[in-house]
Amino acid sequence: MKNSDIENLVSENIIIGRNPIIEALKNGREMTKILLAKDAEGSVRKITGIAKDRGIPVQYADRGALDRAAGGGNHQGAVAYVSEFEYCEVEDILIKAEEKGEPAFIIVLDGIEDPHNLGAIMRSADGAGAHGVIIPKRRAAAVTAVAEKASAGAAEYVAVARVTNIGQTIDMLKENGVWTAAVDMDGDAFYSSDLKGPIAIVIGSEGRGIGRLVKEKCDFCVSIPMKGGVNSLNASNAAAVLMYEVVRQRAVN
């Protein structure tokens, strides 16, 4: 493959990394082509096998070409050119919970800017059985190739709604019977709060935390007690702690 061809493809939507590509293939994600390293071994055979069954072209290139195609991301010798990530509506997340016969379990992200954090949160959301994640359209990370790679394939299974206004979305969730819990240092310890019913866990941005207006709209605040020298966790770690507290409470009650 010529370098000029690689450069032309960089602007397309991509997924990088073997496992995210395998999950996307299994989930029927539309792909125009897959680019693999010439010397790649192991799980790339699974990629080529599924791609062949689906009629997706596979091309081979040297590692330098893949580095350029992936924009410097950790591609593991595999880059797929795909359709845009398909966002859902908030209503779709509520319907998903209803169809499963479960209390709504939603993660609301108020301005997460690091796509690695977004991907990690999506991975935890999938593992914890959350019905969906809500992110803002502005001043926040979108579901990009970096986020999909960080999700380790979970992006193919997690419903993500992208909204114009987080505060208005919280109002809408409350109108639909969903309680909203802001994760904030001023809140009660998370393990002493009731998270069993329909719940939306609201996580703030990496630096600023939850915005004042968004926090005021939430029904209550929960905190993660810190016993060491630092006073907070990474946003994705905090989200994971709260998600699995929801799982724990629902399992024992």
Side-chain angles (χ1 to χ4, degrees):
M1 195 173 190
K2 297 178 181 178
N3 288 343
S4 59
D5 294 333
I6 298 295
E7 290 167 358
N8 289 336
L9 288 168
V10 172
S11 61
E12 293 188 21
N13 297 295
I14 62 170
I15 296 177
I16 61 175
R18 299 183 183 189
N19 196 56
I21 291 174
I22 289 171
E23 295 302 327
L25 284 166
K26 288 164 56 179
N27 203 38
R29 185 83 169 267
E30 291 185 11
M31 298 186 183
T32 56
K33 66 180 67 181
I34 298 173
L35 185 63
L36 299 175
K38 293 177 180 177
D39 58 349
E41 298 179 350
S43 56
V44 294
R45 296 192 184 93
K46 188 171 185 178
I47 293 174
T48 54
I50 301 174
K52 182 179 179 180
D53 291 342
R54 289 189 51 198
I56 299 169
V58 175
Q59 298 181 350
Y60 296 88
D62 59 38
R63 292 275 173 172
L66 270 91
D67 290 342
R68 291 190 292 275
N74 182 18
H75 52 73
Q76 299 174 310
V79 175
Y81 300 92
V82 300
S83 58
E84 290 187 10
F85 181 84
E86 187 173 347
Y87 294 98
C88 70
E89 301 295 331
V90 175
E91 291 82 358
D92 296 323
I93 296 175
L94 295 172
I95 290 171
K96 183 178 180 181
E98 184 178 354
E99 290 177 342
K100 288 189 171 184
E102 299 171 344
F105 179 13
I106 302 168
I107 313 304
V108 179
L109 305 180
D110 183 25
I112 295 295
E113 297 177 345
D114 186 344
H116 295 92
N117 276 337
L118 175 57
I121 290 169
M122 292 171 70
R123 185 175 186 176
S124 295
D126 178 60
H131 299 114
V133 175
I134 298 173
I135 63 175
K137 290 181 178 179
R138 299 179 59 194
R139 295 188 292 275
V143 184
T144 61
V146 175
E148 293 205 43
K149 176 67 167 58
S151 80
E156 295 300 320
Y157 305 100
V158 176
V160 180
R162 206 174 181 204
V163 301
T164 301
N165 187 293
I166 291 293
Q168 291 177 2
T169 300
I170 288 175
D171 287 339
M172 178 263 201
L173 291 174
K174 292 164 75 172
E175 290 170 1
N176 282 272
V178 179
W179 290 80
T180 52
V183 181
D184 186 81
M185 292 173 58
D186 296 331
D188 295 329
F190 69 90
Y191 43 73
S192 63
S193 300
D194 185 352
L195 306 175
K196 296 185 292 296
I199 191 76
I201 303 297
V202 184
I203 304 290
S205 67
E206 294 89 351
R208 299 182 300 275
I210 297 175
R212 179 181 60 82
L213 295 178
V214 170
K215 180 181 174 182
E216 289 176 355
K217 284 182 176 289
C218 292
D219 292 301
F220 59 98
C221 294
V222 296
S223 65
I224 301 175
M226 303 296 294
K227 303 297 185 182
V230 296
N231 63 3
S232 66
L233 291 176
N234 172 279
S236 62
N237 291 335
V241 169
L242 266 297
M243 282 188 243
Y244 276 93
E245 177 62 12
V246 173
V247 173
R248 185 194 70 80
Q249 289 192 19
R250 290 185 175 185
V252 298
N253 288 280

